[in-house]
Amino acid sequence: MTTLSEFRSDVRSLGNFPANDTRITDAVVNREVNRALKRIALLHDWPWLDAERTYITAADVTAYPLPSDFLRAVSFRYPEGRKSLTLINIQELDDLYGNGDPWVYAVRGAKIHIGPVPSGEKTLKLRYIRQEIVLVNDNDAPLIPDHYSDGVSEAALVQLHRIANQPDMAGLAEARFQVWRTETRDNTTQTSSQPSIRVRPGGQI
């Protein structure tokens, strides 16, 4: 996997930013690499960020903790092909009354809320998109595969050229990033067969 140090070297080489540049310091490059990773994560349900967690409900408990790396939900369903719960807003969920098998859910803060109020144990599977890893140390590597890492460099260069007051170069980097985005999205949508990351359930929550 491409490390933070390698991203930094790549960005400096592509952007022609020498190591002694007083505006484009290592700290600035590191920050923009992490912002690029976050930007990419928000664009699409990338297969390398796909994960799954199993929940077991408890009677009269409607709120359960989200995974610590949760970014957004893809689906919340009963196992073995049974129906999916419907995502609604938290205000609609608060208006539900009664007990029964949950059929709706909402996300608020660090918890996932279900309704109606479960009357006992039910198994539910949350498929979600993970947050990218924040790179801190030089040997830290993100989740994005190596063969897609050029998009990270291009997205970082957009902001670095702006910081360096090079709007034309920033525009070119943005154009290259948009080409990368389209090609990578189409490629992963058509060819991905990577299974979800299975997060070991912690039993009843």
Side-chain angles (χ1 to χ4, degrees):
M1 303 296 286
T2 306
T3 65
L4 177 59
S5 176
E6 291 168 335
F7 275 122
R8 194 166 58 241
S9 296
D10 188 46
V11 166
R12 287 199 179 280
S13 176
L14 291 171
N16 196 27
F17 297 122
N20 61 354
D21 192 312
T22 57
R23 291 172 300 179
I24 311 301
T25 63
D26 282 355
V28 170
V29 176
N30 292 351
R31 181 192 68 199
E32 296 307 328
V33 167
N34 278 299
R35 287 180 174 176
L37 287 165
K38 183 176 181 179
R39 179 184 180 185
I40 289 170
L42 291 170
L43 290 176
H44 183 63
D45 292 345
W46 305 110
W48 58 84
L49 298 178
D50 194 39
E52 191 175 83
R53 179 169 180 177
T54 299
Y55 289 87
I56 299 176
T57 66
D60 301 323
V61 179
T62 59
Y64 302 84
L66 287 167
S68 60
D69 59 354
F70 177 87
L71 181 60
R72 62 181 175 273
V74 176
S75 65
F76 200 30
R77 62 187 304 116
Y78 290 93
E80 300 176 357
R82 291 184 61 192
K83 64 182 180 180
S84 295
L85 279 68
T86 300
L87 176 64
I88 61 175
N89 64 54
I90 195 67
Q91 291 76 21
E92 292 174 312
L93 190 62
D94 288 342
D95 290 338
L96 284 178
Y97 295 95
N99 293 62
D101 289 349
W103 58 274
V104 293
Y105 74 102
V107 174
R108 179 169 59 184
K111 291 188 176 182
I112 190 165
H113 302 255
I114 58 176
V117 178
S119 54
E121 289 189 0
K122 294 291 181 182
T123 299
L124 297 169
K125 291 186 179 291
L126 173 67
R127 184 182 166 209
Y128 68 98
I129 298 300
R130 295 180 286 174
Q131 300 173 30
E132 254 293 4
I133 295 170
V134 177
L135 310 184
V136 177
N137 301 309
D138 280 354
N139 290 328
D140 289 350
L143 297 169
I144 189 170
D146 277 344
H147 52 285
Y148 296 135
S149 62
D150 52 341
V152 180
S153 297
E154 294 295 357
L157 280 170
V158 174
Q159 296 304 321
L160 291 170
H161 282 304
R162 289 172 179 167
I163 293 169
N165 196 27
Q166 299 170 339
D168 291 344
M169 297 299 291
L172 290 172
E174 178 66 28
R176 291 192 300 268
F177 175 74
Q178 291 302 328
V179 170
W180 173 91
R181 171 188 178 180
T182 300
E183 292 180 348
T184 304
R185 181 191 59 207
D186 292 346
N187 181 56
T188 56
T189 299
Q190 294 171 8
T191 65
S192 174
S193 60
Q194 178 177 331
S196 298
I197 302 299
R198 308 292 175 176
V199 180
R200 182 175 61 86
Q204 183 168 303
I205 304 174

